[in-house]
Structures are given as structure tokens and as C-alpha cells.
Amino acid sequence: MASTAVAGGQVLDASNPAVARVRQLIGGLEYSQDGWSRCWEEGVTPWDLGQPTPAVVELAKSGTLPGDAATVLVPGCGTGYDVVALSGPGRFVVGLDICESAVAKAKQWSAAADGSLFAFVVADFFTWEPPELFDLIFDYTFFCAFHPSMRPAWAKRMADLLKPNGELITLVPGQEAGPPFNTTVLDYEEVLKPLGFVITCIQDNDVAVKPRQGMEKIARWKRMANPTNLDSQE
């Protein structure tokens, strides 16, 4: 089956049959490795643009990302377009995905790129232990893939995987019901703030693909090196 993703982007809500199929495959509350693998095997990947996310390309050009022997993580990397786009001199990027088929596709298409600047790993985000912590983590269509009950665990892993004063960048889809769960900036803040994350910048994603324009936001979070009195921040 050919992939349902298109380069121009899709509406990632209940009006899209692919989103309904994703929900069916992954189940409800359970984080289903088999379900996500079946999405890739069936080509039901409405989140996949078939190219780097435009916002990632702009970030890589902005000069605002760490670049002095920095390490970057892209969890739920899928076919890895964003991994390669973020990589560069002084910045090594790890693409992580639980689905072997997705990582196989990533390795295949990226074979012509400079493999010394990035790597792909098949592992579970919630249990994987990297050899070192990261300076930056980029999350897009990953947080929204989990049932809301799993969001505190997502935030805890983000805190565990980032270096003190490390940065988390999230692209908030801002669409109803997908993919496959609705998310807002407040949803991120609810689970990140108690762990010492603070928003350093939030802005509209002016380069979002249609029909996502006017809905997506880019939020940049800093993990405080020595968060104190976290209970009072909740």
C-alpha cells in the first residue's frame, strides 16, 4: 500500500480516514509497538510529509541551535528527514524510533548523506538508555502520539535525557483530534513545568505546510539545571 502522506501535508483530524485508521491500529491507552509498526507497514503515515519539516529547515539555518560538539535527539523520527536536516558540522543527531520498518526506510533514503553527522536507532523511548545525555531534543508529532495518560512519563523521559540547561523544542500541531490526540501548548506546560522546564520562546510556525498554517506553534523550553521548590510551581 502506498503511503497516505503527501508533501503538502494533511489535515490531521477525524475528517482524515488515515487518522482514524492510525487510532484503530495503535489502540487506546496502550503504547503499542505492534500498532505503530503496522502503521508503517500499511503506509498509514499521515504525519509524514515526505520531506523535512519546513520549521526544522528554518531552525537549522537560524544559527540559534547548539553547534559546538552538540548532540541532538529526535524521538519518533520516522523516516528521519528531520534528523538529517538538523545535522551539521558540530551537531550530531540521533533519530530514535520504535519501528524497525521506519528506521530501515530512514537508513535507505539517507545513505547518500554524510553519515558521520547522524545515526538511527531502533529502541523504545521510555526504556532506551543512551551513552550520553543530549544538548537538544526536537519533538514533533511525537507527544501527540501518546494518550494523555502517558504524558507525565513522556515529560519525565525528556528531563532524564536532557543535559542540565538543555533545550527541548516542540512543534505543537494545534489541530483537533490528531495525530492521533489533540495537543495544545498548555498540555505540554502541564507536564513539563513541574519538572523544571520553562518556556523561553513561543511563536507561530509561519512556514507550516498547508493545511496546518495558522495552527502550529513552535515552543522552546529550557530544562533548568537546578530546579528548586517544584511543588510550588504546579
Side-chain angles (χ1 to χ4, degrees):
M1 177 178 177
S3 173
T4 56
V6 294
Q10 297 189 38
V11 177
L12 300 178
D13 63 20
S15 69
N16 187 335
V19 172
R21 180 57 176 158
V22 168
R23 290 180 180 174
Q24 184 182 43
L25 289 172
I26 67 172
L29 300 178
E30 184 179 357
Y31 179 48
S32 169
Q33 177 178 355
D34 291 341
W36 288 110
S37 294
R38 289 184 63 189
C39 287
W40 284 102
E41 291 165 2
E42 292 189 16
V44 186
T45 56
W47 58 84
D48 188 353
L49 296 178
Q51 63 185 31
T53 306
V56 170
V57 176
E58 293 301 311
L59 283 167
K61 295 178 180 177
S62 69
T64 64
L65 300 181
D68 184 12
T71 55
V72 182
L73 174 65
V74 180
C77 68
T79 42
Y81 298 108
D82 293 340
V83 171
V84 177
L86 284 170
S87 67
R91 191 164 54 244
F92 184 83
V93 186
V94 175
L96 181 74
D97 205 285
I98 199 170
C99 300
E100 291 186 8
S101 54
V103 170
K105 291 176 185 292
K107 290 181 177 179
Q108 181 178 25
W109 82 261
S110 66
D114 186 351
S116 68
L117 300 175
F118 60 88
F120 294 105
V121 177
V122 178
D124 187 333
F125 169 76
F126 292 100
T127 59
W128 178 59
E129 294 296 337
E132 61 179 301
L133 301 181
F134 294 91
D135 298 285
L136 171 68
I137 300 178
F138 177 79
D139 181 305
Y140 178 45
T141 64
F142 188 63
F143 177 85
C144 59
F146 302 116
H147 187 274
S149 64
M150 296 187 67
R151 291 172 179 172
W154 168 92
K156 178 65 165 56
R157 285 300 289 155
M158 288 296 179
D160 290 343
L161 292 171
L162 272 176
K163 293 178 181 178
N165 293 317
E167 184 179 22
L168 169 65
I169 299 180
T170 59
L171 251 64
V172 185
Q175 299 185 103
E176 293 185 359
F181 299 102
N182 185 37
T183 58
T184 67
V185 173
L186 290 177
D187 292 324
Y188 290 81
E189 188 172 23
E190 181 179 4
V191 293
L192 288 172
K193 187 176 179 180
L195 297 179
F197 284 85
V198 295
I199 293 180
T200 59
C201 176
I202 185 167
Q203 63 190 71
D204 292 334
N205 180 13
D206 295 331
V207 295
V209 296
K210 294 181 180 180
R212 306 177 196 177
Q213 292 177 352
M215 294 180 287
E216 287 187 344
K217 293 186 180 297
I218 303 172
R220 302 183 70 156
W221 312 77
K222 181 179 179 181
R223 181 199 169 208
M224 303 303 291
N226 296 298
T228 58
N229 197 23
L230 296 184
D231 291 340
S232 65
Q233 298 180 27
E234 297 181 356

